[in-house]
Amino acid sequence: MAEIELAPLSHRLDEEEVRTLTKLLTEAGAPPFEKADEHASHTIAARLSEEALTEFLDRLDAHDLGAEIYVPLEFEGRVAVGDYRVASSQALLDVLEEMREEDDDEGTVIEAQLRHIWHLVADGATESIEKGLPLHLQT
C-alpha cells in the first residue's frame, strides 16, 4: 500500500545521501536547509491505492515535478539522490493548482481516488512548508 507522510530526510536517506542532497539543493539555488527534528514524523495517509498514487506521480511527471520527497525549500526543477527524486514543496503546490484546473473524466473510480490524493498531497505540502519537514510519497 502507498502512503503520504511528513518525516525528516533521514527517514529515507543515509547521512552521505543527505550531504549530497544538501550540495545539489545549494547548486539548484535553494537556501540552506535546516535539519528537522529526527523524531518528528506524521503520517498523512496510509493504505492508499498504489495504482492511484503511481498515476498521480505520473501526472506530476508530466509537469516535470514527480518526486518521492518534497522539501520545504524553494528551487526550480528536481534533483536525484540515491533512488529518490527530490523537489520543492512550494513548487508542488504551484503544480497542484495547475492540475486542479485540468479537465478530467470525473466519472471513474481512479479519478475519484486521484482527487482524494490531490487533496491529501496539497494538505501535506502546505504542512511541509509550515512545519519545515519534508513530504514523502511512497508507493
Side-chain angles (χ1 to χ4, degrees), residues 55 59 63 96-108 111 114-115:
E55 173 66 23
R59 290 180 185 208
H63 291 273
L96 290 173
E97 194 58 38
E98 289 176 29
M99 288 172 66
R100 182 187 351 212
E101 297 167 6
E102 294 172 356
D103 291 331
D104 289 320
D105 176 7
E106 301 211 4
T108 66
E111 289 302 327
L114 290 173
R115 278 192 304 281

Side-chain angles (χ1 to χ4, degrees), residues 4-137:
I4 300 169
E5 68 179 333
L6 290 175
L9 291 171
S10 62
H11 183 72
R12 287 182 140 168
L13 305 177
D14 63 30
E15 287 182 31
E16 182 61 33
E17 289 171 325
V18 171
R19 281 193 293 273
T20 300
L21 176 60
T22 300
K23 181 180 176 218
L24 292 171
L25 290 174
T26 301
E27 291 171 1
F33 188 73
E34 292 185 26
K35 192 170 185 177
D37 178 359
E38 290 301 310
H39 302 290
S41 67
H42 170 66
T43 300
I44 293 168
R47 301 173 45 107
L48 294 169
S49 160
E50 284 187 35
E51 177 187 0
L53 188 57
T54 299
E55 173 66 23
F56 188 81
L57 287 171
D58 287 347
R59 290 180 185 208
L60 287 173
D61 275 333
H63 291 273
D64 296 322
L65 207 67
E68 292 76 32
I69 302 172
Y70 294 89
V71 294
L73 301 172
E74 288 194 46
F75 65 96
E76 292 296 317
R78 56 189 169 189
V79 297
V81 62
D83 295 331
Y84 301 103
R85 298 170 298 168
V86 181
S88 163
S89 296
Q90 184 59 55
L92 175 60
L93 283 174
D94 295 342
V95 167
L96 290 173
E97 194 58 38
E98 289 176 29
M99 288 172 66
R100 182 187 351 212
E101 297 167 6
E102 294 172 356
D103 291 331
D104 289 320
D105 176 7
E106 301 211 4
T108 66
V109 171
I110 193 78
E111 289 302 327
Q113 290 174 332
L114 290 173
R115 278 192 304 281
H116 178 65
I117 289 171
W118 184 96
H119 286 288
L120 293 170
V121 172
D123 290 347
T126 300
E127 199 171 343
S128 168
I129 293 166
E130 289 172 357
K131 293 186 175 180
L133 275 172
L135 176 68
H136 299 258
L137 305 182

